[in-house]
Amino acid sequence: GENVEQHPSTLSVQEGDSAVIKCTYSDSASNYFPWYKQELGKGPQLIIDIRSNVGEKKDQRIAVTLNKTAKHFSLHITETQPEDSAVYFCAASRGGGFKTIFGAGTRLFVKA
Amino acid sequence: SAVISQKPSRDICQRGTSLTIQCQVDSQVTMMFWYRQQPGQSLTLIATANQGSEATYESGFVIDKFPISRPNLTFSTLTVSNLSPEDSSIYLCSVEDRDWTEIGGYTFGSGTRLTVV
């Protein structure tokens, strides 16, 4: 079946450094790629997304890039802060009644 | 985006009993989704609940174990039946944020942390 691979599973950075999380998807028909942040004891929250007709999108300290040819997309967080510590999930979707496929998650630790 | 109220936030249940989880959405939505998140794991779709029809279950999940109700466009319940320790997980409901033309991301409830003893 379709799947999304996410790396790394754990990432530890110093406050102020950048963090990069990478995902690869298998379904070439996927056209929507959201990223979710899940803090302890809470449900996942959408933080940024990108559609297949766009190569890059930025929102303040967060950016996402998409390489459709390689079926690869990444989340970039710059100037990390302790409150960025959470689990991040990538996902891929194609709509039309097909279910969204989530990556396994990356636990990000930002050390003050 | 929609706002979801999910309850209970956590519960500890005895083996063999059942737990019913409720989700209330502040707007009318066609589909509601129920996910399971085992400790330290990703999100696994249990079923999709449409108003006025039976829920559609994913492979590995059956209606007898996870009955779902969807009485109207703003509310759904998931029951986890005949509980065993393997059912200890976080259960999440979600809705899709979309307009009529484009798919969108999901809004999730805050989750129900179930512990079976």
Side-chain angles (χ1 to χ4, degrees):
Chain A
E2 307 299 348
N3 73 304
V4 174
E5 293 188 359
Q6 183 172 347
H7 300 281
S9 57
T10 305
L11 180 59
S12 183
V13 300
Q14 203 68 36
E15 181 178 4
D17 288 349
S18 295
V20 180
I21 303 170
K22 299 181 179 182
C23 289
T24 303
Y25 60 98
S26 61
D27 183 1
S28 57
S30 296
N31 56 11
Y32 178 69
F33 307 91
W35 286 87
Y36 296 88
K37 175 183 180 182
Q38 186 175 27
E39 297 175 319
L40 194 63
K42 298 183 178 180
Q45 181 180 11
L46 179 69
I47 56 171
I48 195 168
D49 57 13
I50 191 167
R51 300 185 188 274
S52 58
N53 58 349
V54 176
E56 184 173 357
K57 183 177 179 180
K58 188 174 182 180
D59 183 3
Q60 300 183 348
R61 297 186 297 108
I62 295 174
V64 58
T65 59
L66 171 65
N67 182 330
K68 285 193 297 182
T69 302
K71 291 190 284 188
H72 175 271
F73 58 114
S74 300
L75 177 71
H76 305 253
I77 305 174
T78 59
E79 301 173 20
T80 53
Q81 302 167 2
E83 50 265 39
D84 294 329
S85 296
V87 179
Y88 291 81
F89 293 98
C90 63
S93 177
R94 60 188 294 192
F98 290 88
K99 68 178 182 180
T100 295
I101 308 297
F102 288 86
T106 296
R107 186 173 296 276
L108 174 64
F109 297 95
V110 181
K111 296 176 287 186
Chain B
S1 58
V3 176
I4 301 176
S5 174
Q6 181 174 346
K7 58 183 181 183
S9 58
R10 59 178 63 233
D11 207 341
I12 301 172
C13 299
Q14 297 289 325
R15 296 181 193 216
T17 64
S18 299
L19 175 69
T20 295
I21 303 166
Q22 300 180 2
C23 273
Q24 179 75 50
V25 188
D26 69 342
S27 58
Q28 294 185 340
V29 292
T30 304
M31 292 188 291
M32 293 181 71
F33 306 91
W34 287 98
Y35 283 87
R36 182 175 71 184
Q37 186 176 29
Q38 294 180 304
Q41 301 297 311
S42 188
L43 301 157
T44 300
L45 182 63
I46 297 171
T48 301
N50 292 313
Q51 194 270 334
S53 64
E54 278 200 6
T56 302
Y57 289 83
E58 296 297 309
S59 176
F61 298 96
V62 295
I63 188 172
D64 289 346
K65 176 69 175 177
F66 298 97
I68 288 172
S69 77
R70 185 80 203 275
N72 57 54
L73 290 172
T74 64
F75 187 79
S76 180
T77 68
L78 169 74
T79 299
V80 189
S81 304
N82 189 23
L83 290 168
S84 68
E86 293 71 38
D87 295 320
S88 297
S89 283
I90 297 172
Y91 293 86
L92 296 146
C93 62
S94 70
V95 301
E96 185 180 347
D97 293 318
R98 64 177 298 171
D99 61 23
W100 292 105
T101 59
E102 280 193 323
I103 59 174
Y106 289 167
T107 294
F108 286 89
S110 54
T112 297
R113 183 178 294 271
L114 169 62
T115 302
V116 182
V117 297

